[in-house]
Amino acid sequence: MRYAILSDVHGNLEALRAVLADAVPRTDGVLCLGDSVGYGADPGACVELLDARARAIVAGNHEHGVAGLLDLDWFNRWARAAAEWTRERLHDDQRAWLGALPLTKDVEDATLVHASPEAPDEWEYLVTPEEGWAAFSHFATRWCFVGHSHVPGAWSLGSSGPDFEPRPRVVTAEAGRRYIVNVGSVGQPRDRDPRAAYGVWDVEAGRVELRRVTYDVQAARDKIVAAGLPRFLADRLATGT
Ligand code: ZN
């Protein structure tokens, strides 16, 4: 069984379509780690596409913001503007669907969570080696897949000690070790690589490949500007920041 693991689509339909096209010949199913909306100009189309395609989806802070479960004061001004814009454009049933997503979900021997398994609804970022290692006592599966920071990374813990690899290309499980993998962001990469990021998890092989996919960044940027969303949200797609 091979899963495409998508996170932080953020309403970027061009990036989502490109990633799904790349994933189809390589995978048997889609898993989604949340933040499907916010920032991009196509929240409704992304929600519908992910609802149709994903076998499991967990909620991110942007779902909770749009669904009214998280105070928008929590967000910075760009994220707040995008959340307010997104909230108005989604139908009632789409907002309800976002608000009903679980915070964590176990699939095979993995835990899916948007931010940190320690307290999924506190939206803490796992960025440093130490932040990742401290999270291992808060899930029981071999793998934990996260998003939220929009920066790919892999933490592991085992008898030979802790390890951290920033921006890995392939993570191959070793006996006796457990792993947290951030698969990066489909719709708003922030590691200075503007290509869409996602992971391919081969369950039987114990292997995760972090893939990058080129997509029509200009089209996504033009839609953000035309929608009247903050221009900063369009420009950052071009630089991957
Ligand atoms: Zn996000």
Side-chain angles (χ1 to χ4, degrees):
M1 191 71 192
R2 296 159 305 161
Y3 293 99
I5 305 179
L6 280 54
S7 191
D8 296 278
V9 172
H10 281 297
N12 187 335
L13 186 60
E14 285 70 28
L16 176 57
R17 282 183 174 147
V19 161
L20 289 174
D22 188 78
V24 161
R26 295 179 168 79
T27 55
D28 313 297
V30 174
L31 308 174
C32 182
L33 304 178
D35 273 11
S36 304
V37 301
Y39 301 136
D42 283 308
C46 289
V47 163
E48 298 298 329
L49 192 49
L50 288 168
D51 184 28
R53 297 288 296 274
R55 298 194 181 193
I57 309 183
V58 295
N61 47 303
H62 282 258
E63 278 89 350
H64 274 213
V66 168
L69 298 171
L70 178 62
D71 194 325
L72 294 186
D73 288 341
W74 189 89
F75 291 95
N76 68 40
R77 61 191 171 108
W78 297 290
R80 188 162 58 241
E84 287 166 348
W85 182 92
T86 300
R87 190 183 270 176
E88 287 170 19
R89 264 123 197 116
L90 292 177
H91 302 304
D92 289 347
D93 57 333
Q94 291 172 326
R95 279 196 302 272
W97 183 85
L98 293 176
L101 294 173
L103 285 164
T104 68
K105 184 133 179 111
D106 285 4
V107 175
E108 311 264 1
D109 58 349
T111 299
L112 313 183
V113 62
H114 181 67
S116 168
E118 180 170 356
D121 60 347
E122 291 181 13
W123 316 111
E124 298 289 343
Y125 290 89
L126 302 185
V127 176
T128 66
E130 291 75 16
E131 286 164 352
W133 297 331
F136 275 91
S137 55
H138 300 281
F139 66 96
T141 50
R142 179 165 210 198
W143 298 90
C144 179
F145 295 112
V146 303
H148 198 37
S149 73
H150 300 204
V151 178
W155 297 258
S156 71
L157 215 54
S159 50
S160 52
D163 194 22
F164 172 66
E165 188 181 2
R167 299 191 65 198
R169 292 187 57 216
V170 176
V171 179
T172 304
E174 295 171 19
R177 297 191 75 80
R178 297 165 67 225
Y179 295 82
I180 298 174
V181 179
N182 186 319
V183 295
S185 169
V186 171
Q188 197 194 75
R190 293 180 191 161
D191 59 348
R192 302 189 180 280
D193 181 345
R195 295 175 298 168
Y198 81 106
V200 173
W201 175 33
D202 185 322
V203 177
E204 285 74 28
R207 184 175 179 275
V208 179
E209 179 190 3
L210 285 290
R211 294 185 60 81
R212 302 306 282 252
V213 180
T214 52
Y215 73 96
D216 192 344
V217 174
Q218 190 61 49
R221 293 179 66 193
D222 290 347
K223 284 185 184 175
I224 288 171
V225 173
L229 284 159
R231 186 168 196 105
F232 166 72
L233 297 176
D235 292 342
R236 70 189 305 180
L237 294 182
T239 52
T241 54

